[in-house]
Amino acid sequence: MKAVGFDRPRAIEDLHALQDIELDTPAPGPRDLLIAVEAVSVNPVDTKVRQRPLAEPGFRVLGYDAAGRVQAVGDQVQGFKPGDRVWYAGAMQRQGSNAQFQCVDERLVAHKPDSLGMQEAAALPLTTLTVWEALEDQLGLTPDTAKGKTLLVVGGAGGVGSIGIQLAARHFGMTVIATAGRDESARWCQSMGAAHTIDYRQGLVEPVKALGIDGVDAVLLAQEPDPYWAEACDLVKPLGGIVTIVDARGPLDLNALKPKSARFAWEFMFTRALFGVDMERQGEILSQAAKLVDEGILQTTLGESLGPINAANLKQAHRRIEDGRTIGKLVLAGWEN
């Protein structure tokens, strides 16, 4: 089968940073689906893993967002059959979706929304899982308890921010403030459902207070937390919470949250698959999200399609993500003959 992989960490400008390769088609394990990959999207985690040394010689295949059709199923699979159209993020420790065929544990997979094409669907799984887990599992929010509360999303126009705004505003019923550094980013955030946008270059506290809002109930840090930490702690209300999805460069002062009894949580979407814990939860979330999409509550966050799945186009996607100026998700679809 065709695939795109890397055999050692290289800068994206290197000719061999990502390579078109041929691999054997994998065989599904007892609970695996063998999926024919039709579309993928690229996330910051792809660029980070690409720059890490490999534990074993050979080629590593990246890709943690995909939509495709079930080709075959393991002998213990019950919820899927060949021909089913599915979407998923997958597991970090296994070969990824930048290949014509991929084995994925059925518990991490759901039937994709009927109302979306493969490209539109591939833009959503990883970020949807990330935000749903961040709000519900980490901060303890639900549509019943969150309605009318305020959420600040730092990094509103990125992949996580884009679906985070939608989920919080349209499903959880929250008032969302999103950071955006450009006019086009602000317009995108508003189209996703943000009630307000602020320019992060002006800080967080003063722009939020200029809206007539003294504090927020929750903060979703979809960017490196360090530059925003002090102001996020200042803005969060008593008994509120802050969740971050990006590694901190240095220690974060959690003592700043103690007087408010505010909670802090990490969200790492790969935890369940990495440790084999409560994996069914991700399939359930994606099933609920598919229903919300088909009901018109959520929409795709596809920002741009870059063409077929190959090394050249994936390198372009990695380069743009590393530049940090993408809006929405970058998607690739189809395989060249």
Side-chain angles (χ1 to χ4, degrees), residues 229 233 242 251-259 262-266:
W229 182 252
C233 292
I242 300 173
L252 300 176
D253 180 16
L254 297 182
N255 290 331
L257 297 176
K258 183 182 178 182
R263 73 167 70 181
F264 168 72
W266 293 104

Side-chain angles (χ1 to χ4, degrees), residues 87 111-113 115 285-298:
W87 64 343
H111 294 90
K112 81 168 192 64
S115 59
I285 290 172
L286 289 175
S287 293
Q288 293 179 66
K291 184 173 183 289
L292 293 177
V293 170
D294 286 336
E295 291 174 351
I297 296 171
L298 300 180

Side-chain angles (χ1 to χ4, degrees), residues 30 42 48 51 55 59 88 99 123 136 153 165-166 190 194 196 245-246 251-252 327 331-332 336:
V42 183
K48 294 173 183 177
Q51 297 176 68
F59 280 93
Y88 58 93
E136 200 162 271
V153 177
I165 293 168
Q166 291 187 59
Q190 290 159 4
H196 310 282
I245 66 167
V246 182
L252 300 176
I327 294 178
V331 174
L332 298 84
E336 296 172 316

Side-chain angles (χ1 to χ4, degrees), residues 24 39 132 202 300:
D24 292 335
W132 204 302
Q202 307 301 317
T300 184

